[in-house]
Amino acid sequence: MWNEIQKALDEKNISIYKLAKITGIRDSTLHNYKRGSEPSFKNMCKIADALDVSLDYFRKDD
């Protein structure tokens, strides 16, 4: 899932630190997501809102 988040961050030129400020999610928590932890639904909603994408953007085609 982090690959999709990173792609959206790159497209919008937003750093993890800035995403933390926008969402209110601690940057250490975001770094844990980057290392493979699964975000809660609530935090995914915050991330999607901050990146102006739908939750479907983060779905994997398994």
Side-chain angles (χ1 to χ4, degrees):
M1 182 174 305
W2 183 259
N3 290 335
E4 290 81 13
I5 295 171
Q6 188 64 59
K7 182 179 171 185
L9 288 172
D10 292 343
E11 288 172 0
K12 300 191 182 301
N13 198 28
I14 297 175
S15 67
I16 292 176
Y17 176 76
K18 186 171 180 181
L19 181 62
K21 288 291 199 181
I22 294 168
T23 61
I25 300 169
R26 294 172 49 189
D27 61 336
S28 61
T29 301
L30 293 171
H31 282 286
N32 285 338
Y33 297 159
K34 186 174 182 177
R35 288 190 282 276
S37 294
E38 288 293 321
S40 67
F41 179 75
K42 180 179 176 182
N43 282 352
M44 279 312 302
C45 290
K46 289 179 182 181
I47 292 169
D49 287 345
L51 297 175
D52 196 30
V53 297
S54 74
L55 287 173
D56 286 336
Y57 179 88
F58 301 111
R59 290 182 61 178
K60 293 181 183 177
D61 294 331
D62 289 338

